[in-house]
Amino acid sequence: MVKLNYIKPNDVPNINLYMDQVTTFMDEHLSDIKRHEDDKILTKTMINNYTKNNLLPAPVKKKYSKEHIYILTFIYYLKNILYINDIQKILNPLTDRFFDTDTKPNLDSIYNEIYLLEKNQIDLLSKDVIKKSEMANNSFNDVEDEEEREFLQLFSLVCLLSFDVYMKKNIIENLIDDFSTKHEAKTSKKAKATKNTKAETKEKKEAKSDKK
């Protein structure tokens, strides 16, 4: 019932790609997710906007690495439920710390770990959807008209699934807000400490200069 439409870690090319190659790669590997045939998985305009909005690190000599592919994949899924500014809050620390680094954890190991975590959720998600479907099918049994009853049961299932998404979206937003508040406080504290250190260094230099 639930299929993992995700780019497998081993499918990501280990060579740098031009923008056209990136959009082709993403479209080929995520085409099953499309609701309509003419839906776009990724376009050049999207990529440029992600870079402009500081979601995606800039390419090197117009080429994108496998790390860019990882980030684009994260963006693709996150943008379906989160606002761009929320995605920025959670992705910026990721790229700042782990993009283009040889030491672990790096984006290779992070993407692989996330992939395995989500893959392991597929069976649980399928069972949850089946359970909700059974609950919906057991509702409105007192409605005699078969067409009306089937519609109301379908509506019940849609509402149950939507409520689940709504509640989880609220949880995600709260997690991001909490992290962002703490992250900004730490950044501000470090900036203040750096400023104070520079001021102290300047004062010491000026004091030595006055003694001379």
Side-chain angles (χ1 to χ4, degrees), residues 32-150:
D32 288 345
I33 300 176
K34 288 182 180 181
R35 184 178 183 185
H36 305 293
E37 187 63 31
D38 58 349
D39 286 347
K40 299 293 183 183
I41 298 295
L42 185 69
T43 65
K44 292 181 180 180
T45 301
M46 289 179 190
I47 294 176
N48 287 328
N49 284 337
Y50 296 154
T51 304
K52 191 182 298 181
N53 289 314
N54 199 31
L55 280 174
L56 181 73
V60 178
K61 296 180 181 179
K62 296 184 178 181
K63 284 191 172 184
Y64 296 83
S65 67
K66 62 180 178 180
E67 294 182 322
H68 284 100
I69 302 293
Y70 296 150
I71 298 298
L72 285 169
T73 305
F74 288 140
I75 293 172
Y76 178 78
Y77 288 101
L78 292 173
K79 73 176 185 176
N80 285 291
I81 55 172
L82 297 176
Y83 294 113
I84 290 296
N85 63 329
D86 282 331
I87 299 176
Q88 285 176 325
K89 290 175 183 177
I90 202 67
L91 277 190
N92 285 354
L94 186 76
T95 54
D96 289 345
R97 299 177 190 179
F98 307 112
F99 192 92
D100 196 24
T101 179
D102 294 327
T103 59
K104 288 189 176 182
N106 54 27
L107 279 178
D108 259 332
S109 59
I110 292 169
Y111 186 88
N112 189 66
E113 184 79 11
I114 297 297
Y115 172 80
L116 292 175
L117 286 171
E118 294 179 346
K119 184 179 180 181
N120 291 334
Q121 288 296 304
I122 296 302
D123 186 51
L124 294 174
L125 286 170
S126 297
K127 289 178 180 177
D128 182 63
V129 173
I130 291 171
K131 183 179 178 181
K132 285 182 171 61
S133 179
E134 290 172 350
M135 290 170 61
N137 287 336
N138 289 326
S139 65
F140 297 102
N141 286 325
D142 58 336
V143 177
E144 294 183 3
D145 186 283
E146 182 179 357
E147 185 177 349
E148 289 182 356
R149 183 173 65 254
E150 288 179 352

